[in-house]
Amino acid sequence: MEEYTKVTELFGCDVFNDSVMKARLPGKVYKELKKIMAEGGELSMEVADVVAHEMKEWAIDKGATHFTHWFQPLTGVTAEKHDAFITAPREDGKVLMSFSGKELIKGEPDASSFPSGGLRATFEARGYTTWDCTSPAFVRHDAAGGILCIPTAFCSYTGEALDQKTPLLRSMEAINTQALRLLRLFGNTTSKRVIPSVGAEQEYFLIDKEKWRQRKDLIYTGRTLFGAMPPKGQEMDDHYLGTIRQRVSAYMKEVNEECWRLGVTAKTQHNEVAPAQHELAPIFAPANIAADQNQIMMRILKKVASRRGMRCLLHEKPFAGLNGSGKHNNWSLTTDDGINLLEPGKTPHENIQFLLVLTCILRAVDLHADLLREAAADVGNDQRLGGQEAPPAVISVFLGEQLEDVLEQLISTGTATHSKHGEKLETGVKTLPDFMKDATDRNRTSPFAFTGNKFEFRMVGSNDSISTCNVVLNTIAAESFRDACDRLEAAPDFAMAVHDLIKEYATEHQRIVFNGNGYAPEWAEEAKRRGLPNLPSMVDAIPALTTDRAVKLFEDFGVFTRAELESRAEIQYEVYAKAINIEAKTMIDMATKQIIPAVIHYTTVLANSVNAVKAAGAIDVSVQMDLLKKTSRLLKSANSAMSKLAKLTEQVNSNPEGRERALFMREKIVPAMEGLREPVDELEMLVDKDMWPIPSYGDLIFDV
Ligand code: ADP
Ligand code: MG
């Protein structure tokens, strides 16, 4: 692995990017590949062979010995199978290094062990990975040496998507087609493509590896299943944007360098709200690249932590009562020639194209709020949504003062005549310059907030793929654009028609706009009055995938077939049930083998102390007795809660797999888990710290 001192040299040094292609590929081949990257189409085998050869030569120069088709099955993690470049030995016993166009374009991993939700029986195990040439290949270095990673999509023998990427690419096509139609209506004849741009801000926790090792809940489930709040939590707000500790700074430096090598634009890093919580954000990129790069980033975050004696927790809620981790998905629509469709300009009320795009998105989110909510459904996110510093499970849109005002003018008078402007911000200090405020303040409580020239979807869980929510955003926006274009293209008077349409959309979908405090309990009431769906748990959200409306939407745009949607719903139910089952079993394991024995030990020590103190002639042993009674009472509750949970977990498999089992988990197992946690957390506050068998929250979050 080469060493570089300058970031400009380091950046992208392990990526088969444009400059490498330009330098290595023959002109004609380079041109053809670029054309396909820009416009789609199929690569000829001759071209593929040349590209593969050059890619291999380059990768070998970088120290690669293997290649892999790197893909994102529905397991929630990435998958890969490494193949060495070596050929069968020749007569002289030596091998060559080879890599063909066919190997570059198509792979055939055995698909039978990946979740397919009934799409494919094990006897129909064929699955194919195909190169996504719009996302660059890269050489990853780790203990396995250098591996050439080729980003691919993963489909079944019959063409059904078995991964996250395929529907994302399909949805990008859908939004491209409809957004171009819309641009043409406004006289744009030059833009060739509209690309959804995405920047995903990644939150994570860092804890000490030795302490992590002592907690089976963290090892098996990624979150703490027991744990009392330490005397200090996040209430002092002293961690957010606070000074980054040296150990963490050194970690961040290494993460950045690894990201940069692979062309991931790690840009902004800071401490987050909870102690031990941090964030890393890249610069936005086309949605499919952003999704790939987020996977790369998550892997680097984990790998570097491990190397430096820490663990990076990507779970959405590692610690009850503290801020959870999300992944803010910033989304906008940009043309190949640099126009952002979500840029309002200085006077949004005059920007008719922007107002149409905006009201189309309001319509899209209002019509498909349930789907957008579903896109953030993830087992861990159930713990996070609606909790400390996380958006509620109700979808609404924050527009900010300026746009809300424009919208109100539109709705009440039919025409917007002015836009509110930011006033001068006076600092009151002579040596500080006064400056113009933004026209709009921020609202951190909204799940879907307009932030200047993009929307920020804040619901996604930190561990989840960002593909799902972008598939939904792209497709629902495409549908509203299509509706608008169908009507406007047929209208005799465009100016009049567009004016009426904007007013209509704004009026009809006004209920989705909410600029208030999304964390306030009154909002849930208000949302109910407005008829907005409130789907608190993943199990409640999954049915949104297979409603007739969703099936029609996705089939219309060729993003998902009904069968694909049904299979995804099935997988979601399975994932949910399995994850909760593991959590329940882990709790039982920890309670049986660690916590209850420790408490018994403590009560014995207390009892002995009572006797010893009495024997020594003291009269008052009331303190010891009180503690002994209290501890024994809680011990009894914990033990019976555990028996209850254990009994229930024995019934899990008698519920048919799928929705029924998932419901059983949510309705029976989850409350029983809470029932066990409660007395155990109380015990933790009583029992001698030296006897408590696992590191406390305080140990975990204040001592990295
Ligand atoms: P904020 O502080 O408002 O969240 P930032 O500038 O920090 O805004 O951006 C957060 C993320 O949004 C970054 O990943 C950034 O690259 C991304 N982003 C900025 N502009 C856009 C855009 N037009 N489309 C998509 N993502 C964007
Ligand atoms: Mg942000």
Side-chain angles (χ1 to χ4, degrees), residues 590-699:
M590 289 171 77
T592 323
K593 297 189 190 145
Q594 296 183 288
I595 293 165
I596 291 181
V599 180
I600 290 176
H601 176 56
Y602 180 57
T603 52
T604 313
V605 169
L606 278 176
N608 288 342
S609 148
V610 170
N611 290 337
V613 171
K614 266 193 193 157
I619 308 147
D620 189 0
V621 286
S622 59
V623 174
Q624 291 92 325
M625 280 308 293
D626 270 359
L627 203 50
L628 181 57
K629 276 189 209 150
K630 218 167 159 186
T631 310
S632 304
R633 204 170 345 107
L634 284 166
L635 177 62
K636 198 169 165 211
S637 320
N639 196 54
S640 67
M642 194 185 67
S643 314
K644 190 174 161 200
L645 180 60
K647 257 206 203 90
L648 283 167
T649 54
E650 281 163 23
Q651 297 167 24
V652 168
N653 289 338
S654 53
N655 292 278
E657 246 183 303
R659 180 162 176 82
E660 214 162 307
R661 192 175 295 176
L663 275 173
F664 178 80
M665 303 312 280
R666 199 207 47 200
E667 279 160 19
K668 295 285 189 301
I669 303 285
V670 169
M673 285 167 59
E674 282 159 8
L676 173 56
R677 176 168 188 153
E678 210 172 295
V680 170
D681 287 359
E682 265 185 77
L683 280 165
E684 188 186 341
M685 309 288 281
L686 293 180
V687 173
D688 185 337
K689 169 124 179 84
D690 289 338
M691 293 181 203
W692 195 251
I694 51 177
S696 69
Y697 271 23
D699 300 335

Side-chain angles (χ1 to χ4, degrees), residues 291-474:
D292 285 356
Q293 294 197 337
N294 181 250
Q295 294 289 347
I296 297 174
M297 185 189 275
M298 289 197 285
R299 187 182 168 119
I300 291 174
L301 285 168
K302 284 188 184 163
K303 188 175 75 175
V304 175
S306 182
R307 198 155 63 204
R308 303 191 74 95
M310 294 183 281
R311 285 301 288 198
C312 171
L313 307 180
L314 291 176
H315 192 282
E316 284 76 13
K317 195 78 170 179
F319 305 101
L322 292 176
N323 197 32
S325 295
K327 185 139 54 191
H328 295 175
N329 186 85
N330 294 270
W331 177 88
S332 70
L333 296 169
T334 347
T335 64
D336 57 328
D337 48 357
I339 305 165
N340 179 355
L341 272 60
L342 285 167
E343 175 58 60
K346 284 205 163 47
T347 50
H349 69 281
E350 294 173 332
N351 189 342
I352 303 298
Q353 182 184 306
F354 169 75
L355 289 177
L356 180 63
V357 168
L358 181 76
T359 49
C360 277
I361 291 172
L362 292 183
R363 175 182 183 271
V365 175
D366 187 27
L367 290 181
H368 300 288
D370 57 343
L371 270 182
L372 203 50
R373 161 66 184 95
E374 203 291 323
D378 180 46
V379 191
N381 226 10
D382 270 13
Q383 307 293 329
R384 166 180 170 257
L385 293 179
Q388 289 78 12
E389 313 262 340
V394 182
I395 296 275
S396 64
V397 182
F398 171 80
L399 287 182
E401 220 180 305
Q402 187 189 47
L403 289 182
E404 202 191 16
D405 176 62
V406 170
L407 213 65
E408 264 164 26
Q409 296 176 50
L410 276 169
I411 294 167
S412 57
T413 67
T415 318
T417 55
H418 58 273
S419 299
K420 283 189 178 175
H421 279 284
E423 290 143 23
K424 204 162 174 188
L425 183 97
E426 283 165 21
T427 56
V429 178
K430 278 210 193 77
T431 49
L432 292 180
D434 291 335
F435 54 86
M436 295 305 286
K437 284 202 285 195
D438 287 308
T440 295
D441 198 5
R442 285 164 181 264
N443 179 331
R444 293 178 52 112
T445 70
S446 176
F448 195 65
F450 186 75
T451 45
N453 61 0
K454 61 186 192 286
F455 273 102
E456 186 171 345
F457 183 48
R458 301 205 180 99
M459 248 189 198
V460 186
S462 48
N463 204 17
D464 211 356
S465 161
I466 54 166
S467 296
T468 330
C469 73
N470 288 301
V471 167
V472 171
L473 286 172
N474 296 340

Side-chain angles (χ1 to χ4, degrees), residues 265-286:
T265 50
K267 168 96 176 158
T268 309
Q269 62 194 27
H270 60 82
N271 282 355
E272 256 301 330
V273 172
Q277 194 186 27
H278 312 279
E279 180 182 300
L280 179 57
I283 298 172
F284 65 94

